[in-house]
Amino acid sequence: MSTENFRFYEVFSYETLVRAVAGAVGSATAMTVFFPLDTARLRLQVDEKRKAKSTPAILAEIVKEEGLLAPYRGWFPVICSLCCSNFVYFYCFHSLKASWVRGQKAAPSTDLTIGIAAGIVNVLVTTPLWVVNTRLKLQGSNFRNADIRPTNYSGILDAFVQIIRHEGLGALWNGTFPSLLLVLNPAIQFMIYEGLKRQLRRGVYKELSSLEAFLIGAVAKAVATVVTYPLQTVQSILRFGQLKEPTDQSQLLTSLRTIKCLLVNRVRKFGVLGLFKGLEAKLLQTVLTAALMFLLYEKITNTTFKVMGLSKPMHSKR
């Protein structure tokens, strides 16, 4: 088989498709289970005047003020975005890895590089979905900050139309620059996850137990989240679209200055710990979500491979 045909097969193989679907289904299921924790995290990041409290206290406030279903506000657009995002990321990661490594033993540096490349593709393709779902998730919320302007979107399509009409097409890519920097988050996560998985297998292909998949998924996400959390806060603020950025400078310079100003202002208002406001809710949500997602991902892929008659995937030297 020629190199070109080999690479074509790797990119469009059933194995890559199975892993992408498993990643999308696993992440959607896990996010649904822990969705209220993400609501608490986002509210703390965006509403500067809301005092940081324990996650249960924040959720109790939201339920009391906005109703029992408020913690699940915006669930549908988030799940749609998450499915698309994780499908793209898992597909790019595993297809790039299959064509790059080609049966050789993978290394952490390879996983990190491939993770960054997959993350860049994912950000450029799916950022409009995340901008819309951030707006929908916060719509109708009771904010402590009176300067936040209310929005009135009837759904995903209406949000797209209104954002383009009132703010321009470029607004759908608000927060793209910090998002590109944040490709380090899933890249670090996958590097740690794949590295720990190789250590557990010790060079021999075997299925991970449910506990092993859950624990190494949790560890990988916890490290990646703590390292990149300040940028995640900036990303959420920009996606919300309430910040007016100057337009008389280049986009790159504007983005860099905006990120710097948001980080500096946060430190001035709340101290260094202000950069990590909402981290408890984020860690609780993202670590549990990632752990459950990886557990489901491993179970779905292994079960599918067995049904397809594959005792192990082709790229088992991962």
Side-chain angles (χ1 to χ4, degrees), residues 9 19 39 43-44 48 56 63 65 75 77 89 102 125 134 164 169 186 275 285 287 291:
Y9 175 79
R19 292 188 184 282
T39 298
R43 200 68 65 86
L44 283 168
E48 289 188 350
V63 169
E65 295 171 5
W75 171 84
Y89 190 89
R102 281 193 268 174
V125 171
T134 299
I164 293 171
L169 185 63
L275 295 174
Q285 176 263 325
V287 169

Side-chain angles (χ1 to χ4, degrees), residues 26-133:
S27 62
T29 304
M31 175 58 87
T32 298
V33 173
F34 299 113
F35 193 81
L37 300 177
D38 192 55
T39 298
R41 179 272 310 174
L42 187 58
R43 200 68 65 86
L44 283 168
Q45 285 182 324
V46 170
D47 192 357
E48 289 188 350
K49 294 187 178 180
R50 182 180 288 273
K51 293 180 180 179
K53 301 177 181 178
S54 67
T55 302
I58 293 294
L59 289 174
E61 275 186 359
I62 293 171
V63 169
K64 182 180 178 181
E65 295 171 5
E66 303 169 35
L68 192 60
L69 296 179
Y72 275 91
R73 181 184 290 119
W75 171 84
F76 183 71
V78 168
I79 293 302
C80 289
S81 301
L82 195 65
C83 279
C84 293
S85 181
N86 276 281
F87 182 89
V88 171
Y89 190 89
F90 274 78
Y91 199 100
C92 289
F93 182 87
H94 290 292
S95 60
L96 286 171
K97 187 167 184 176
S99 58
W100 190 331
V101 176
R102 281 193 268 174
Q104 300 174 7
K105 191 173 181 179
S109 58
T110 305
D111 290 330
L112 184 64
T113 304
I114 293 173
I116 290 172
I120 290 171
V121 173
N122 182 38
V123 165
L124 296 177
V125 171
T126 65
T127 289
L129 287 170
W130 288 110
V131 168
V132 166
N133 91 55

Side-chain angles (χ1 to χ4, degrees), residues 25 28 38 43 66 73-74 88 133 167 182 200 219 224 254 311:
V25 172
D38 192 55
R43 200 68 65 86
E66 303 169 35
R73 181 184 290 119
V88 171
N133 91 55
E167 302 173 46
L182 277 169
L200 287 172
V219 170
T254 298
S311 58

Side-chain angles (χ1 to χ4, degrees), residues 1-310:
M1 187 183 294
S2 69
T3 301
E4 290 78 10
N5 288 337
F6 183 88
R7 286 179 177 170
F8 179 87
Y9 175 79
E10 298 297 350
V11 171
F12 296 100
S13 69
Y14 281 116
E15 182 182 331
T16 303
L17 181 61
V18 167
R19 292 188 184 282
V21 171
V25 172
S27 62
T29 304
M31 175 58 87
T32 298
V33 173
F34 299 113
F35 193 81
L37 300 177
D38 192 55
T39 298
R41 179 272 310 174
L42 187 58
R43 200 68 65 86
L44 283 168
Q45 285 182 324
V46 170
D47 192 357
E48 289 188 350
K49 294 187 178 180
R50 182 180 288 273
K51 293 180 180 179
K53 301 177 181 178
S54 67
T55 302
I58 293 294
L59 289 174
E61 275 186 359
I62 293 171
V63 169
K64 182 180 178 181
E65 295 171 5
E66 303 169 35
L68 192 60
L69 296 179
Y72 275 91
R73 181 184 290 119
W75 171 84
F76 183 71
V78 168
I79 293 302
C80 289
S81 301
L82 195 65
C83 279
C84 293
S85 181
N86 276 281
F87 182 89
V88 171
Y89 190 89
F90 274 78
Y91 199 100
C92 289
F93 182 87
H94 290 292
S95 60
L96 286 171
K97 187 167 184 176
S99 58
W100 190 331
V101 176
R102 281 193 268 174
Q104 300 174 7
K105 191 173 181 179
S109 58
T110 305
D111 290 330
L112 184 64
T113 304
I114 293 173
I116 290 172
I120 290 171
V121 173
N122 182 38
V123 165
L124 296 177
V125 171
T126 65
T127 289
L129 287 170
W130 288 110
V131 168
V132 166
N133 91 55
T134 299
R135 306 280 185 97
L136 289 172
K137 191 170 182 180
L138 291 168
Q139 182 170 273
S141 302
N142 290 332
F143 294 108
R144 302 292 187 270
N145 188 347
D147 294 332
I148 291 177
R149 303 181 304 279
T151 55
N152 185 27
Y153 307 128
S154 61
I156 296 175
L157 291 178
D158 183 54
F160 272 111
V161 171
Q162 286 201 45
I163 291 170
I164 293 171
R165 182 182 298 160
H166 300 300
E167 302 173 46
L169 185 63
L172 290 174
W173 276 268
N174 279 351
T176 296
F177 191 73
S179 296
L180 287 173
L181 296 179
L182 277 169
V183 300
L184 285 171
N185 184 297
I188 292 170
Q189 174 186 343
F190 268 73
M191 178 185 72
I192 295 172
Y193 181 81
E194 294 289 330
L196 290 174
K197 188 158 70 170
R198 282 193 293 270
Q199 289 298 314
L200 287 172
R201 286 175 170 173
R202 294 180 177 85
V204 179
Y205 179 81
K206 65 174 183 177
E207 290 185 19
L208 295 179
S209 70
S210 297
L211 182 60
E212 287 173 335
F214 188 89
L215 288 177
I216 65 175
V219 170
K221 191 61 177 181
V223 174
T225 298
V226 172
V227 169
T228 60
Y229 189 76
L231 278 174
Q232 292 182 51
T233 299
V234 170
Q235 179 193 57
S236 295
I237 293 170
L238 291 175
R239 282 176 174 173
F240 191 32
Q242 300 284 332
L243 184 72
K244 292 298 180 184
E245 302 178 64
T247 57
D248 57 344
Q249 301 167 337
S250 73
Q251 278 295 114
L252 180 59
L253 280 175
T254 298
S255 297
L256 285 170
R257 287 175 179 170
T258 300
I259 292 170
K260 178 186 173 183
C261 287
L262 284 171
L263 292 174
V264 169
N265 287 340
R266 201 128 184 133
V267 171
R268 284 175 179 168
K269 286 182 180 178
F270 308 109
V272 175
L273 291 179
L275 295 174
F276 296 91
K277 185 183 178 187
L279 179 60
E280 178 205 352
K282 179 64 175 177
L283 273 177
L284 195 58
Q285 176 263 325
T286 199
V287 169
L288 290 174
T289 300
L292 181 57
M293 184 266 292
F294 276 116
L295 187 158
L296 294 171
Y297 162 74
E298 293 290 345
K299 295 303 177 185
I300 292 170
T301 51
N302 289 327
T303 301
T304 305
F305 290 143
K306 285 179 181 177
V307 170
M308 291 170 64
L310 297 173

